[in-house]
Short mmCIF file of all heavy atoms in Angstrom, two decimals:
data_model
loop_
_atom_site.label_atom_id
_atom_site.label_comp_id
_atom_site.label_asym_id
_atom_site.label_seq_id
_atom_site.Cartn_x
_atom_site.Cartn_y
_atom_site.Cartn_z
N ARG A 232 14.67 0.22 21.61
CA ARG A 232 14.27 -0.84 20.66
C ARG A 232 15.54 -1.42 20.06
O ARG A 232 16.47 -0.69 19.72
CB ARG A 232 13.39 -0.26 19.56
CG ARG A 232 12.08 0.30 20.05
CD ARG A 232 11.01 -0.78 20.13
NE ARG A 232 9.79 -0.27 20.75
CZ ARG A 232 9.32 -0.66 21.93
NH1 ARG A 232 9.96 -1.56 22.63
NH2 ARG A 232 8.20 -0.16 22.42
N LYS A 233 15.50 -2.74 19.89
CA LYS A 233 16.70 -3.45 19.42
C LYS A 233 17.07 -3.05 17.99
O LYS A 233 16.20 -2.97 17.13
CB LYS A 233 16.43 -4.95 19.48
CG LYS A 233 17.68 -5.78 19.48
CD LYS A 233 17.33 -7.24 19.80
CE LYS A 233 18.08 -8.14 18.87
NZ LYS A 233 17.27 -9.08 18.14
N GLU A 234 18.37 -2.81 17.77
CA GLU A 234 18.81 -2.54 16.41
C GLU A 234 19.16 -3.88 15.77
O GLU A 234 19.86 -4.68 16.37
CB GLU A 234 20.04 -1.63 16.47
CG GLU A 234 20.49 -1.18 15.11
CD GLU A 234 21.70 -0.23 15.18
OE1 GLU A 234 21.60 0.80 15.86
OE2 GLU A 234 22.72 -0.56 14.56
N GLU A 235 18.65 -4.10 14.52
CA GLU A 235 18.99 -5.36 13.84
C GLU A 235 19.79 -5.04 12.60
O GLU A 235 19.64 -3.97 12.01
CB GLU A 235 17.71 -6.09 13.41
CG GLU A 235 16.87 -6.54 14.57
CD GLU A 235 15.55 -7.16 14.10
OE1 GLU A 235 15.60 -8.05 13.23
OE2 GLU A 235 14.51 -6.74 14.60
N VAL A 236 20.62 -5.99 12.19
CA VAL A 236 21.37 -5.79 10.94
C VAL A 236 20.75 -6.72 9.90
O VAL A 236 20.70 -7.94 10.08
CB VAL A 236 22.86 -6.07 11.14
CG1 VAL A 236 23.60 -5.90 9.82
CG2 VAL A 236 23.44 -5.15 12.19
N ILE A 237 20.26 -6.11 8.84
CA ILE A 237 19.57 -6.86 7.79
C ILE A 237 20.60 -7.47 6.83
O ILE A 237 21.53 -6.79 6.39
CB ILE A 237 18.61 -5.92 7.01
CG1 ILE A 237 17.51 -5.47 7.94
CG2 ILE A 237 18.07 -6.52 5.74
CD1 ILE A 237 16.58 -6.58 8.39
N SER A 238 20.40 -8.78 6.50
CA SER A 238 21.39 -9.40 5.64
C SER A 238 21.12 -9.19 4.16
O SER A 238 21.96 -9.45 3.31
CB SER A 238 21.46 -10.90 5.93
OG SER A 238 20.21 -11.45 5.73
N TRP A 239 19.90 -8.69 3.82
CA TRP A 239 19.58 -8.46 2.39
C TRP A 239 20.60 -7.45 1.84
O TRP A 239 20.87 -6.45 2.49
CB TRP A 239 18.21 -7.85 2.25
CG TRP A 239 17.07 -8.68 2.71
CD1 TRP A 239 17.14 -9.90 3.31
CD2 TRP A 239 15.69 -8.32 2.64
NE1 TRP A 239 15.87 -10.33 3.63
CE2 TRP A 239 14.97 -9.40 3.23
CE3 TRP A 239 14.98 -7.22 2.16
CZ2 TRP A 239 13.59 -9.38 3.32
CZ3 TRP A 239 13.60 -7.22 2.27
CH2 TRP A 239 12.91 -8.28 2.84
N ASP A 240 21.13 -7.71 0.68
CA ASP A 240 22.01 -6.70 0.13
C ASP A 240 21.27 -5.94 -0.97
O ASP A 240 20.32 -6.46 -1.55
CB ASP A 240 23.32 -7.30 -0.39
CG ASP A 240 23.09 -8.18 -1.58
OD1 ASP A 240 22.97 -7.65 -2.68
OD2 ASP A 240 22.97 -9.41 -1.39
N PRO A 241 21.71 -4.70 -1.26
CA PRO A 241 20.97 -3.89 -2.21
C PRO A 241 20.83 -4.54 -3.58
O PRO A 241 19.82 -4.41 -4.25
CB PRO A 241 21.79 -2.61 -2.33
CG PRO A 241 22.66 -2.58 -1.13
CD PRO A 241 22.86 -4.00 -0.70
N ILE A 242 21.85 -5.34 -3.96
CA ILE A 242 21.80 -5.98 -5.27
C ILE A 242 20.63 -6.97 -5.34
O ILE A 242 19.94 -7.06 -6.33
CB ILE A 242 23.12 -6.72 -5.57
CG1 ILE A 242 24.30 -5.74 -5.52
CG2 ILE A 242 23.10 -7.47 -6.91
CD1 ILE A 242 24.24 -4.60 -6.51
N THR A 243 20.41 -7.68 -4.22
CA THR A 243 19.30 -8.64 -4.20
C THR A 243 17.99 -7.96 -4.51
O THR A 243 17.07 -8.58 -5.05
CB THR A 243 19.23 -9.32 -2.82
OG1 THR A 243 20.53 -9.48 -2.32
CG2 THR A 243 18.51 -10.62 -2.84
N ALA A 244 17.89 -6.72 -4.11
CA ALA A 244 16.64 -5.99 -4.31
C ALA A 244 16.56 -5.37 -5.71
O ALA A 244 15.60 -4.70 -6.04
CB ALA A 244 16.46 -4.95 -3.24
N GLN A 245 17.53 -5.59 -6.53
CA GLN A 245 17.49 -5.03 -7.90
C GLN A 245 17.07 -6.11 -8.90
O GLN A 245 16.95 -7.27 -8.56
CB GLN A 245 18.85 -4.47 -8.28
CG GLN A 245 19.39 -3.41 -7.34
CD GLN A 245 18.45 -2.22 -7.17
OE1 GLN A 245 17.89 -1.77 -8.16
NE2 GLN A 245 18.27 -1.78 -5.95
N LYS A 246 16.92 -5.71 -10.16
CA LYS A 246 16.42 -6.67 -11.16
C LYS A 246 17.46 -7.66 -11.67
O LYS A 246 17.12 -8.63 -12.34
CB LYS A 246 15.87 -5.90 -12.35
CG LYS A 246 14.51 -5.31 -12.10
CD LYS A 246 13.92 -4.73 -13.36
CE LYS A 246 12.82 -3.76 -13.01
NZ LYS A 246 12.59 -2.77 -14.06
N GLY A 247 18.72 -7.41 -11.37
CA GLY A 247 19.78 -8.36 -11.71
C GLY A 247 19.79 -8.73 -13.19
O GLY A 247 20.04 -9.89 -13.54
N GLY A 248 19.51 -7.77 -14.07
CA GLY A 248 19.63 -8.03 -15.51
C GLY A 248 18.35 -8.58 -16.14
O GLY A 248 18.24 -8.67 -17.35
N PHE A 249 17.38 -8.96 -15.32
CA PHE A 249 16.11 -9.44 -15.88
C PHE A 249 15.23 -8.26 -16.28
O PHE A 249 15.37 -7.15 -15.71
CB PHE A 249 15.36 -10.30 -14.87
CG PHE A 249 15.99 -11.64 -14.65
CD1 PHE A 249 16.93 -11.83 -13.66
CD2 PHE A 249 15.67 -12.72 -15.47
CE1 PHE A 249 17.53 -13.06 -13.45
CE2 PHE A 249 16.25 -13.96 -15.28
CZ PHE A 249 17.19 -14.13 -14.28
N LYS A 250 14.31 -8.51 -17.23
CA LYS A 250 13.47 -7.41 -17.69
C LYS A 250 12.48 -6.96 -16.59
O LYS A 250 12.14 -5.79 -16.50
CB LYS A 250 12.70 -7.89 -18.93
CG LYS A 250 12.03 -6.81 -19.71
CD LYS A 250 11.48 -7.33 -21.04
CE LYS A 250 10.61 -6.25 -21.67
NZ LYS A 250 9.67 -6.84 -22.60
N HIS A 251 12.05 -7.90 -15.81
CA HIS A 251 11.10 -7.59 -14.75
C HIS A 251 11.51 -8.28 -13.46
O HIS A 251 12.11 -9.36 -13.48
CB HIS A 251 9.69 -8.07 -15.10
CG HIS A 251 9.08 -7.38 -16.28
ND1 HIS A 251 9.10 -7.93 -17.55
CD2 HIS A 251 8.48 -6.17 -16.40
CE1 HIS A 251 8.52 -7.09 -18.38
NE2 HIS A 251 8.12 -6.02 -17.72
N PHE A 252 11.08 -7.69 -12.34
CA PHE A 252 11.34 -8.33 -11.03
C PHE A 252 10.68 -9.71 -11.01
O PHE A 252 11.22 -10.65 -10.45
CB PHE A 252 10.78 -7.48 -9.89
CG PHE A 252 11.68 -6.35 -9.50
CD1 PHE A 252 11.30 -5.01 -9.70
CD2 PHE A 252 12.91 -6.59 -8.94
CE1 PHE A 252 12.15 -3.99 -9.33
CE2 PHE A 252 13.76 -5.55 -8.55
CZ PHE A 252 13.38 -4.27 -8.75
N MET A 253 9.49 -9.82 -11.61
CA MET A 253 8.81 -11.12 -11.52
C MET A 253 9.64 -12.24 -12.13
O MET A 253 9.77 -13.31 -11.54
CB MET A 253 7.43 -11.04 -12.22
CG MET A 253 6.68 -12.37 -12.09
SD MET A 253 5.09 -12.30 -12.91
CE MET A 253 4.56 -14.01 -12.71
N LEU A 254 10.24 -11.95 -13.29
CA LEU A 254 11.03 -12.98 -13.94
C LEU A 254 12.27 -13.31 -13.09
O LEU A 254 12.63 -14.47 -12.89
CB LEU A 254 11.46 -12.52 -15.34
CG LEU A 254 12.08 -13.61 -16.21
CD1 LEU A 254 11.13 -14.78 -16.41
CD2 LEU A 254 12.50 -13.04 -17.58
N LYS A 255 12.88 -12.26 -12.56
CA LYS A 255 14.06 -12.48 -11.69
C LYS A 255 13.67 -13.34 -10.49
O LYS A 255 14.38 -14.27 -10.10
CB LYS A 255 14.58 -11.12 -11.18
CG LYS A 255 15.67 -11.29 -10.15
CD LYS A 255 16.00 -9.98 -9.47
CE LYS A 255 16.99 -10.20 -8.34
NZ LYS A 255 16.38 -10.65 -7.11
N GLU A 256 12.49 -13.05 -9.94
CA GLU A 256 12.07 -13.77 -8.75
C GLU A 256 11.72 -15.23 -9.06
O GLU A 256 11.91 -16.12 -8.24
CB GLU A 256 10.95 -13.00 -8.05
CG GLU A 256 11.55 -11.76 -7.38
CD GLU A 256 10.56 -10.63 -7.09
OE1 GLU A 256 9.35 -10.81 -7.24
OE2 GLU A 256 11.05 -9.56 -6.68
N ILE A 257 11.21 -15.46 -10.29
CA ILE A 257 10.93 -16.87 -10.71
C ILE A 257 12.29 -17.60 -10.75
O ILE A 257 12.42 -18.72 -10.26
CB ILE A 257 10.23 -16.89 -12.10
CG1 ILE A 257 8.80 -16.38 -11.99
CG2 ILE A 257 10.27 -18.29 -12.70
CD1 ILE A 257 8.07 -16.17 -13.31
N TYR A 258 13.31 -16.93 -11.31
CA TYR A 258 14.62 -17.56 -11.43
C TYR A 258 15.34 -17.66 -10.07
O TYR A 258 16.21 -18.48 -9.90
CB TYR A 258 15.49 -16.80 -12.45
CG TYR A 258 15.21 -17.29 -13.85
CD1 TYR A 258 14.10 -16.84 -14.56
CD2 TYR A 258 16.06 -18.20 -14.48
CE1 TYR A 258 13.82 -17.30 -15.84
CE2 TYR A 258 15.79 -18.69 -15.75
CZ TYR A 258 14.69 -18.23 -16.43
OH TYR A 258 14.41 -18.69 -17.69
N ASP A 259 14.98 -16.76 -9.13
CA ASP A 259 15.60 -16.82 -7.79
C ASP A 259 15.27 -18.11 -7.06
O ASP A 259 15.90 -18.45 -6.06
CB ASP A 259 15.02 -15.70 -6.89
CG ASP A 259 15.72 -14.37 -7.06
OD1 ASP A 259 16.77 -14.33 -7.71
OD2 ASP A 259 15.20 -13.35 -6.53
N GLN A 260 14.20 -18.81 -7.51
CA GLN A 260 13.62 -19.88 -6.68
C GLN A 260 14.58 -21.00 -6.34
O GLN A 260 14.57 -21.53 -5.22
CB GLN A 260 12.35 -20.41 -7.31
CG GLN A 260 11.24 -19.36 -7.23
CD GLN A 260 9.94 -19.76 -7.90
OE1 GLN A 260 8.95 -20.01 -7.25
NE2 GLN A 260 9.94 -19.81 -9.22
N SER A 261 15.45 -21.33 -7.30
CA SER A 261 16.39 -22.41 -7.01
C SER A 261 17.24 -22.06 -5.79
O SER A 261 17.45 -22.87 -4.89
CB SER A 261 17.23 -22.63 -8.27
OG SER A 261 18.33 -23.37 -7.98
N ARG A 262 17.71 -20.81 -5.76
CA ARG A 262 18.58 -20.36 -4.65
C ARG A 262 17.80 -20.20 -3.34
O ARG A 262 18.23 -20.69 -2.29
CB ARG A 262 19.25 -19.03 -5.03
CG ARG A 262 20.15 -18.45 -3.95
CD ARG A 262 20.85 -17.21 -4.44
NE ARG A 262 19.93 -16.22 -5.01
CZ ARG A 262 19.19 -15.38 -4.31
NH1 ARG A 262 19.22 -15.38 -3.00
NH2 ARG A 262 18.38 -14.50 -4.92
N VAL A 263 16.64 -19.57 -3.42
CA VAL A 263 15.97 -19.27 -2.15
C VAL A 263 15.31 -20.49 -1.50
O VAL A 263 15.18 -20.54 -0.28
CB VAL A 263 14.95 -18.09 -2.29
CG1 VAL A 263 15.65 -16.82 -2.70
CG2 VAL A 263 13.81 -18.42 -3.20
N ILE A 264 14.98 -21.47 -2.33
CA ILE A 264 14.49 -22.73 -1.72
C ILE A 264 15.65 -23.37 -0.95
O ILE A 264 15.47 -23.87 0.16
CB ILE A 264 13.94 -23.70 -2.80
CG1 ILE A 264 12.72 -23.10 -3.51
CG2 ILE A 264 13.66 -25.09 -2.21
CD1 ILE A 264 11.46 -23.01 -2.72
N GLY A 265 16.87 -23.26 -1.53
CA GLY A 265 18.05 -23.72 -0.82
C GLY A 265 18.23 -22.96 0.49
O GLY A 265 18.53 -23.56 1.53
N ASP A 266 17.99 -21.63 0.46
CA ASP A 266 18.12 -20.83 1.68
C ASP A 266 17.10 -21.26 2.73
O ASP A 266 17.38 -21.26 3.94
CB ASP A 266 17.92 -19.34 1.37
CG ASP A 266 19.03 -18.76 0.51
OD1 ASP A 266 20.09 -19.42 0.41
OD2 ASP A 266 18.84 -17.67 -0.07
N THR A 267 15.89 -21.58 2.27
CA THR A 267 14.83 -21.96 3.21
C THR A 267 15.12 -23.31 3.87
O THR A 267 14.78 -23.55 5.03
CB THR A 267 13.46 -21.98 2.48
OG1 THR A 267 13.31 -20.72 1.83
CG2 THR A 267 12.30 -22.18 3.43
N LEU A 268 15.79 -24.19 3.10
CA LEU A 268 16.09 -25.53 3.64
C LEU A 268 17.38 -25.53 4.48
O LEU A 268 17.52 -26.39 5.37
CB LEU A 268 16.27 -26.52 2.46
CG LEU A 268 15.04 -26.80 1.62
CD1 LEU A 268 15.43 -27.58 0.39
CD2 LEU A 268 14.04 -27.62 2.45
N ARG A 269 18.28 -24.58 4.18
CA ARG A 269 19.63 -24.63 4.74
C ARG A 269 19.62 -24.77 6.28
O ARG A 269 18.97 -24.01 6.99
CB ARG A 269 20.40 -23.38 4.34
CG ARG A 269 21.86 -23.45 4.77
CD ARG A 269 22.74 -22.51 4.01
NE ARG A 269 22.68 -22.76 2.55
CZ ARG A 269 22.17 -21.91 1.68
NH1 ARG A 269 21.72 -20.75 2.07
NH2 ARG A 269 22.14 -22.21 0.42
N GLY A 270 20.39 -25.77 6.73
CA GLY A 270 20.59 -25.97 8.17
C GLY A 270 19.36 -26.53 8.88
O GLY A 270 19.36 -26.68 10.09
N ARG A 271 18.31 -26.82 8.14
CA ARG A 271 17.08 -27.24 8.81
C ARG A 271 16.80 -28.75 8.66
O ARG A 271 15.83 -29.26 9.18
CB ARG A 271 15.89 -26.47 8.23
CG ARG A 271 15.84 -25.01 8.73
CD ARG A 271 14.79 -24.21 8.03
NE ARG A 271 14.41 -23.05 8.79
CZ ARG A 271 13.60 -22.10 8.34
NH1 ARG A 271 13.08 -22.17 7.13
NH2 ARG A 271 13.28 -21.06 9.11
N ILE A 272 17.66 -29.44 7.88
CA ILE A 272 17.37 -30.86 7.63
C ILE A 272 18.53 -31.74 8.08
O ILE A 272 19.69 -31.47 7.77
CB ILE A 272 17.10 -31.08 6.12
CG1 ILE A 272 15.76 -30.47 5.73
CG2 ILE A 272 17.12 -32.58 5.78
CD1 ILE A 272 15.34 -30.67 4.29
N SER A 273 18.21 -32.79 8.80
CA SER A 273 19.21 -33.80 9.11
C SER A 273 18.69 -35.07 8.40
O SER A 273 17.81 -35.77 8.92
CB SER A 273 19.29 -34.00 10.62
OG SER A 273 20.04 -35.14 10.87
N GLU A 274 19.25 -35.32 7.21
CA GLU A 274 18.72 -36.37 6.37
C GLU A 274 18.94 -37.75 7.02
O GLU A 274 18.06 -38.61 6.96
CB GLU A 274 19.39 -36.29 4.99
CG GLU A 274 18.53 -36.92 3.92
CD GLU A 274 19.23 -37.02 2.59
OE1 GLU A 274 20.15 -36.18 2.33
OE2 GLU A 274 18.90 -37.91 1.81
N SER A 275 20.10 -37.91 7.67
CA SER A 275 20.42 -39.24 8.20
C SER A 275 19.41 -39.75 9.21
O SER A 275 19.01 -40.91 9.17
CB SER A 275 21.82 -39.22 8.83
OG SER A 275 21.84 -38.21 9.79
N ASP A 276 18.94 -38.88 10.10
CA ASP A 276 17.93 -39.39 11.04
C ASP A 276 16.52 -38.97 10.66
O ASP A 276 15.57 -39.09 11.44
CB ASP A 276 18.28 -39.00 12.49
CG ASP A 276 18.43 -37.51 12.68
OD1 ASP A 276 18.35 -36.79 11.66
OD2 ASP A 276 18.62 -37.06 13.81
N GLY A 277 16.37 -38.44 9.45
CA GLY A 277 15.02 -38.10 8.95
C GLY A 277 14.33 -37.08 9.81
O GLY A 277 13.13 -37.14 10.05
N SER A 278 15.10 -36.06 10.27
CA SER A 278 14.44 -35.06 11.14
C SER A 278 14.74 -33.66 10.65
O SER A 278 15.68 -33.42 9.89
CB SER A 278 14.87 -35.23 12.59
OG SER A 278 16.23 -34.96 12.71
N VAL A 279 13.91 -32.72 11.10
CA VAL A 279 14.16 -31.32 10.77
C VAL A 279 14.64 -30.63 12.05
O VAL A 279 14.20 -30.96 13.15
CB VAL A 279 12.92 -30.61 10.20
CG1 VAL A 279 12.55 -31.14 8.84
CG2 VAL A 279 11.75 -30.69 11.13
N LYS A 280 15.58 -29.68 11.85
CA LYS A 280 16.17 -28.96 13.00
C LYS A 280 15.67 -27.51 12.92
O LYS A 280 16.18 -26.73 12.13
CB LYS A 280 17.70 -28.94 12.89
CG LYS A 280 18.31 -30.32 12.72
CD LYS A 280 18.36 -31.07 14.04
CE LYS A 280 18.84 -32.50 13.86
NZ LYS A 280 18.16 -33.49 14.69
N MET A 281 14.65 -27.21 13.68
CA MET A 281 14.12 -25.85 13.67
C MET A 281 13.86 -25.41 15.12
O MET A 281 12.77 -25.61 15.64
CB MET A 281 12.87 -25.78 12.82
CG MET A 281 13.17 -26.09 11.34
SD MET A 281 11.86 -25.65 10.20
CE MET A 281 10.63 -26.82 10.63
N PRO A 282 14.91 -24.82 15.76
CA PRO A 282 14.75 -24.42 17.13
C PRO A 282 13.56 -23.50 17.35
O PRO A 282 12.96 -23.51 18.43
CB PRO A 282 16.06 -23.69 17.46
CG PRO A 282 16.98 -23.94 16.30
CD PRO A 282 16.20 -24.49 15.17
N GLU A 283 13.22 -22.73 16.33
CA GLU A 283 12.08 -21.81 16.46
C GLU A 283 10.77 -22.54 16.72
O GLU A 283 9.80 -21.94 17.17
CB GLU A 283 11.98 -20.88 15.23
CG GLU A 283 11.76 -21.54 13.86
CD GLU A 283 13.07 -21.94 13.14
OE1 GLU A 283 13.89 -22.63 13.77
OE2 GLU A 283 13.22 -21.58 11.98
N LEU A 284 10.73 -23.85 16.38
CA LEU A 284 9.49 -24.61 16.60
C LEU A 284 9.49 -25.40 17.90
O LEU A 284 8.53 -26.08 18.23
CB LEU A 284 9.25 -25.58 15.42
CG LEU A 284 8.96 -24.95 14.05
CD1 LEU A 284 8.72 -26.04 13.03
CD2 LEU A 284 7.76 -24.02 14.12
N GLU A 285 10.59 -25.30 18.65
CA GLU A 285 10.70 -26.09 19.88
C GLU A 285 9.52 -25.89 20.84
O GLU A 285 9.02 -26.85 21.43
CB GLU A 285 12.03 -25.81 20.59
CG GLU A 285 13.20 -26.58 19.99
CD GLU A 285 12.93 -28.07 19.81
OE1 GLU A 285 12.45 -28.72 20.74
OE2 GLU A 285 13.16 -28.58 18.69
N PRO A 286 9.03 -24.63 21.00
CA PRO A 286 7.88 -24.47 21.91
C PRO A 286 6.67 -25.33 21.50
O PRO A 286 5.77 -25.60 22.30
CB PRO A 286 7.53 -22.99 21.79
CG PRO A 286 8.76 -22.35 21.27
CD PRO A 286 9.45 -23.36 20.44
N LEU A 287 6.65 -25.78 20.23
CA LEU A 287 5.53 -26.59 19.75
C LEU A 287 5.68 -28.06 20.13
O LEU A 287 4.71 -28.80 20.16
CB LEU A 287 5.49 -26.44 18.22
CG LEU A 287 4.24 -26.83 17.45
CD1 LEU A 287 3.01 -26.16 18.04
CD2 LEU A 287 4.38 -26.45 15.98
#
Side-chain angles (χ1 to χ4, degrees):
R232 297 273 174 247
K233 199 170 137 234
E234 185 178 304
E235 295 176 51
V236 178
I237 293 295
S238 59
W239 298 2
D240 66 83
I242 301 301
T243 323
Q245 303 303 318
K246 282 188 198 156
F249 288 92
K250 194 171 170 203
H251 296 98
F252 279 114
M253 181 180 175
L254 191 59
K255 172 191 175 277
E256 287 159 8
I257 290 172
Y258 275 79
D259 275 350
Q260 290 177 110
S261 164
R262 179 175 52 80
V263 299
I264 295 289
D266 292 344
T267 307
L268 293 170
R269 186 160 302 114
R271 285 172 159 173
I272 289 183
S273 169
E274 204 187 333
S275 55
D276 56 356
S278 65
V279 293
K280 307 282 174 219
M281 295 194 292
E283 60 272 52
L284 294 182
E285 280 311 311
L287 197 52

